[in-house]
Amino acid sequence: MSQLQRSPEPGVWFIFDKSKRIAIVRVVEVHGRKLLRSVTFDHDPAQRQLIGYFPEDAMRLAVECTWSEYVKAVGPSTSNRK
């Protein structure tokens, strides 16, 4: 399963698979409403892909959907296998 870590930057979190950063979740404002925006991680911001927008109070949903999209793209993680 994924691991969530708060960034030193306010309103930003990183999602990891083991020690590999796979996504960034950030609080953004869209039409006056605060939302969580999840994007894939890439050192080049232009290469990041949108995963989705989620209600501000739905971090767990954002992480679960982000993890699901990651697993679809790369296959299941080995971090939690016995």
Side-chain angles (χ1 to χ4, degrees), residues 38-76:
S38 177
V39 296
T40 59
F41 177 75
D42 195 290
H43 288 289
D44 178 1
Q47 297 300 312
R48 295 176 185 166
Q49 296 180 337
L50 177 66
I51 296 168
Y53 288 90
F54 305 90
E56 181 183 23
D57 61 352
M59 179 62 78
R60 183 176 180 149
L61 175 64
V63 172
E64 288 178 359
C65 289
T66 300
W67 182 255
S68 176
E69 290 300 311
Y70 172 72
V71 170
K72 282 182 196 175
V74 301

Side-chain angles (χ1 to χ4, degrees), residues 6-81:
R6 184 181 297 270
S7 164
E9 183 181 343
V12 177
W13 295 265
F14 301 122
I15 301 174
F16 289 86
D17 178 9
K18 294 186 185 179
S19 62
K20 179 182 177 185
R21 188 181 300 177
I22 62 166
I24 302 169
V25 177
R26 168 184 318 269
V27 175
V28 297
E29 191 167 318
V30 178
H31 301 294
R33 181 177 174 203
K34 287 189 177 183
L35 298 170
L36 297 172
R37 180 182 67 202
S38 177
V39 296
T40 59
F41 177 75
D42 195 290
H43 288 289
D44 178 1
Q47 297 300 312
R48 295 176 185 166
Q49 296 180 337
L50 177 66
I51 296 168
Y53 288 90
F54 305 90
E56 181 183 23
D57 61 352
M59 179 62 78
R60 183 176 180 149
L61 175 64
V63 172
E64 288 178 359
C65 289
T66 300
W67 182 255
S68 176
E69 290 300 311
Y70 172 72
V71 170
K72 282 182 196 175
V74 301
S77 169
T78 59
S79 64
N80 290 333
R81 291 187 186 166

